[in-house]
Amino acid sequence: MAEDWLVRAAAQYNQHSLDCRDDYPAILLMPIDTLSAILEWTFQSLPDEILVGLDPDSDVPHPEGVAESFHGCDFTSGLFAGQGFVLGPPHLVNRGDSYSVHHVPEEWVDGIFSEDRGARGGRFTHWIHTHPNAVAIPSGADAEAAQWTEGCDMILGVRYSPEGILPWFDDVEGTRRRLSPEEVDDTEDSNHPAIGRAITGHRIHGLEIIAFHRTGLGVNLILTDSEGNPILISP
């Protein structure tokens, strides 16, 4: 079950997704409990990156009205595999540095056409990986890995302290989507308020998450309940 702060952050994130729907050609639905599991693995792995694979859940179709609400004026059908479905359970595939995390361990490779799938010769439709102390903007390596993705790639950026050898840089070109509640604990550092503390001892100051297609187009990520209904701000 997702924590209260994440539910509030998801509602604010979805409001931005709704307000900016005309900027995106497609949407992707992620259950908040799936995101919560990914965040837990992320916080347990800091300062390493993690790679997570996901498939669409064919048993949970689009709830009625979501498409009409979130599809923008440039909506494109059939842009990627799994479009129109809610994401299924996440699978933690790899953990490591930025150079190794994109590679899929042998136990996650099904062996069928794996040579045609690049470094991520795995069987998942969608992928999400983390950027520890880095913004959620694709790097050159991220864009290259995405060329083998049938669905969407996602990036989860995590700002934390102590930074260690990985300082945070805000001046990065691209569209960023923050995932944080407005009210946060600022008792220890008013300049960089904290959401909480990870099991590794790192204080978490901010989260960002984006989804993108291998062509470079952004995909509008919608955070939902288990049935695919968007989490929205209560009236």
Side-chain angles (χ1 to χ4, degrees):
M1 183 68 65
E3 296 184 29
D4 289 344
W5 73 264
L6 183 55
V7 174
R8 297 193 302 273
Q12 294 169 16
Y13 186 92
N14 283 345
Q15 184 60 53
H16 188 273
S17 294
L18 186 61
D19 294 341
C20 298
R21 60 188 179 275
D22 288 338
D23 296 338
Y24 298 94
I27 63 175
L28 184 66
L29 304 181
M30 175 185 283
I32 193 170
D33 287 342
T34 294
L35 176 58
S36 180
I38 294 170
L39 288 172
E40 183 175 354
W41 294 334
T42 298
F43 297 156
Q44 290 172 351
S45 302
L46 292 175
D48 287 344
E49 296 188 15
I50 63 169
L51 176 67
V52 176
L54 306 104
D55 283 318
D57 190 340
S58 58
D59 294 328
V60 185
H62 258 178
E64 189 174 349
V66 174
E68 292 78 2
S69 298
F70 285 89
H71 281 168
C73 58
D74 292 327
F75 169 71
T76 303
S77 62
L79 183 63
F80 54 83
Q83 186 173 345
F85 289 95
V86 178
L87 293 176
H91 303 272
L92 181 58
V93 176
N94 204 0
R95 171 180 174 176
D97 59 30
S98 59
Y99 300 100
S100 64
V101 74
H102 285 302
H103 293 265
V104 178
E106 186 175 351
E107 60 267 26
W108 284 105
V109 178
D110 58 19
I112 302 175
F113 306 121
S114 59
E115 292 184 0
D116 298 326
R117 298 179 183 168
R120 291 181 183 169
R123 56 185 171 85
F124 294 106
T125 305
H126 308 281
W127 298 98
I128 181 170
H129 75 281
T130 57
H131 278 185
N133 241 21
V135 299
I137 296 293
S139 66
D142 297 337
E144 181 178 354
Q147 299 308 306
W148 305 92
T149 303
E150 295 181 353
C152 292
D153 273 86
M154 290 162 276
I155 299 175
L156 175 65
V158 186
R159 184 173 190 176
Y160 61 82
S161 63
E163 293 182 338
I165 62 173
L166 299 172
W168 177 270
F169 292 102
D170 258 319
D171 189 17
V172 179
E173 189 173 332
T175 299
R176 295 164 57 184
R177 295 289 311 277
R178 290 176 172 82
L179 177 73
S180 298
E182 290 181 354
E183 66 281 9
V184 292
D185 174 20
D186 61 355
T187 56
E188 293 193 23
D189 188 340
S190 59
N191 293 322
H192 301 296
I195 297 171
R197 189 183 297 274
I199 193 172
T200 58
H202 296 90
R203 289 183 61 79
I204 309 301
H205 301 290
L207 300 168
E208 302 179 1
I209 186 169
I210 63 163
F212 64 99
H213 186 253
R214 60 179 174 270
T215 59
L217 294 172
V219 174
N220 202 2
L221 186 64
I222 315 300
L223 303 175
T224 75
D225 62 18
S226 60
E227 297 179 350
N229 299 298
I231 296 169
L232 300 173
I233 298 174
S234 301

